[in-house]
Amino acid sequence: MSTGLRFAEQAVAASVADAPGSLKALRAAGAEAFKALGFPTTREEDWHYTNVSAIASAQFEAAVDRDPAGTVDVAALAPYTFGGTWPLIVFVNGRFNATLSSFGALPDGVRVMPLSQAATEEPELLARYLGTAVTPSRDGFSALNAAFAGEGMLVHIAKEMVSDTPVHILHVVDAAGANVMSHPRHLLIAERHAKASVVESYVGLADVPYFTNAVVEVFVEDGATLQLVRVQRESRVAQHVGTVEARQGRDSHFIAFTFQTGASLSRSNVYTVLAGEGCGCTINGLYMLDGQQHGDHQTRVEHVAPNCFSREQYKGLLDERSHGVFNGKVYVHPEAQKTDGKQTNNTLLLSQQAQIDTKPQLEIFADDVKCTHGATVGRIDETSLFYLKSRGVSARLARQLLMYAFAADVLETIDSPAIVQALETLTLERFTGEGLPG
């Protein structure tokens, strides 16, 4: 029996497990959808450059069937918490760990609870939102995630609540998580005129293989602002598929940032539907790959209502034999007049063998719009490198400074100085082994 069929059988078993209300229905729908869809193949346009056979053929075991115990303690988490005293929700080897989590810093009006708890305490809320942005029928990975729904968090920001304290959801895998597959599903809801930030981190603490298949459903109601920062630093022999999809109300703003350095094969999907008049989104990302890493970034911004804006900028630093993919789509409906959309992808190739497949796209069915898109691919500017070296800067530091200059502007779009500083340091350490000089 192929691993894909074995996954399907596991999904069916999960769907009939003793799960309350909305979770049970979602599991059942996911199980059936996965049996029909299976894993995507390179024959599908959106997966043309990404072959997932390494995932489909692997012998992973579901996190729900594993003992979640590991060797992770508070000290092991410290390097990944951005030095903040924020609310911290920790998952170890795919399972929620209440002992390592800290809810004490949650401000009034911000509720965070496991989905399994929310299914009992907030059944109407889950029935209204869960599984409606990322439906099980979207693709095989979304279906598989739905079939194992349960390990995830509800983050609910009450109307008119403005919070300057990010909620940090931290997923870590240690040696005990070898060959585990986890399917976290988070539900983020910002009610009318609320404002908040969520940080979602995926970290590999040991160089072991495993598979993360994450889904985040985001709802930004009228006049609300929600920022989501996703940091993917998985094991270099892990696989990661992450999907974020947002639904936006009138005059809302959704801000998403994706930072990717980990996993041997990764796929990031960020989608949003601008359904309310006057709303907007800012979707940015930075990906840094080396070795034989493969990183695929897919975005889709769907302009449904008039007078909306979208801003999108992704930057990549690719070294050695790494392969990057960017496919960004902006779709403008006929009713979405006065749309203002900008999309760019810039990639810096640091070796002769590194490669990028980039395809920014516009589909416009309205006649009163202002939309632009573009992509650039280049190498470190030799003239700039020579200039710095001629002023006494070492070749290593000159390269470091040019890389930092390339990445800095997109990092600075994050509305949190602590996160910006941490990601700037990671950017420099990625290829030089040193942080930003003081």
Side-chain angles (χ1 to χ4, degrees), residues 226-282:
L226 184 67
Q227 176 179 246
L228 174 63
V229 178
R230 303 188 80 242
V231 180
Q232 191 270 96
R233 302 168 63 187
E234 303 273 31
S235 157
R236 294 294 292 271
V237 291
Q239 286 93 30
H240 180 101
V241 176
T243 297
V244 174
E245 180 139 4
R247 295 289 184 272
Q248 297 185 234
R250 184 184 183 94
D251 297 322
S252 66
H253 190 193
F254 176 52
I255 306 163
F257 192 96
T258 301
F259 182 89
Q260 173 193 310
T261 63
S264 62
L265 183 151
S266 62
R267 164 87 172 212
S268 170
N269 306 311
V270 181
Y271 308 137
T272 188
V273 178
L274 304 177
E277 185 173 358
C279 68
C281 67
T282 303

Side-chain angles (χ1 to χ4, degrees), residues 28 38 81-82 96 123 129 138 181 184 198 235 238 250 260 263 272 294 300 305 323 334 336 367 372 382 386 389:
T81 60
F82 302 103
F96 172 60
Y129 291 105
R138 169 176 294 289
M181 63 172 182
V198 176
S235 157
R250 184 184 183 94
Q260 173 193 310
T272 188
H294 178 95
R300 189 188 69 247
H323 182 197
D367 52 18
T372 62
E382 293 296 330
F386 176 80
K389 290 165 66 176

Side-chain angles (χ1 to χ4, degrees), residues 2 6 44 70 81 86 216 267 282 289 295 313 341 359 409-410:
S2 72
R6 186 172 64 84
E44 300 172 43
T81 60
W86 308 330
V216 183
R267 164 87 172 212
T282 303
L289 310 173
Q313 183 180 27
K359 187 169 68 171
D409 61 337
V410 71

Side-chain angles (χ1 to χ4, degrees), residues 26 115 129-136 138-147 149-154 169 171 182-188 200 202 212-219 228 230 240-246 267 269 271:
L26 184 61
L115 276 186
Y129 291 105
L130 188 65
T132 61
V134 182
T135 62
R138 169 176 294 289
D139 57 47
F141 287 109
S142 298
L144 195 61
N145 178 282
E151 288 295 334
M153 303 302 294
L154 165 67
I169 304 174
H171 299 258
S182 60
H183 305 278
R185 192 181 193 98
H186 303 306
L187 178 60
L188 315 181
E200 190 188 9
Y202 292 86
T212 302
N213 178 33
V215 165
V216 183
E217 295 185 278
V218 181
F219 296 88
L228 174 63
R230 303 188 80 242
H240 180 101
V241 176
T243 297
V244 174
E245 180 139 4
R267 164 87 172 212
N269 306 311
Y271 308 137

Side-chain angles (χ1 to χ4, degrees), residues 151-181:
E151 288 295 334
M153 303 302 294
L154 165 67
V155 180
H156 181 258
I157 302 98
K159 63 181 180 180
E160 300 181 358
M161 173 64 197
V162 176
S163 174
D164 296 324
T165 304
V167 175
H168 189 188
I169 304 174
L170 175 59
H171 299 258
V172 297
V173 177
D174 67 359
N179 299 312
V180 73
M181 63 172 182

Side-chain angles (χ1 to χ4, degrees), residues 403-434:
M403 289 167 52
Y404 171 75
F406 176 80
D409 61 337
V410 71
L411 286 170
E412 290 171 0
T413 63
I414 301 173
D415 186 20
S416 171
I419 298 174
V420 171
Q421 182 177 359
L423 297 186
E424 285 179 342
T425 299
L426 288 174
T427 300
L428 295 162
E429 290 176 346
R430 175 68 178 181
F431 297 110
T432 66
E434 300 175 359

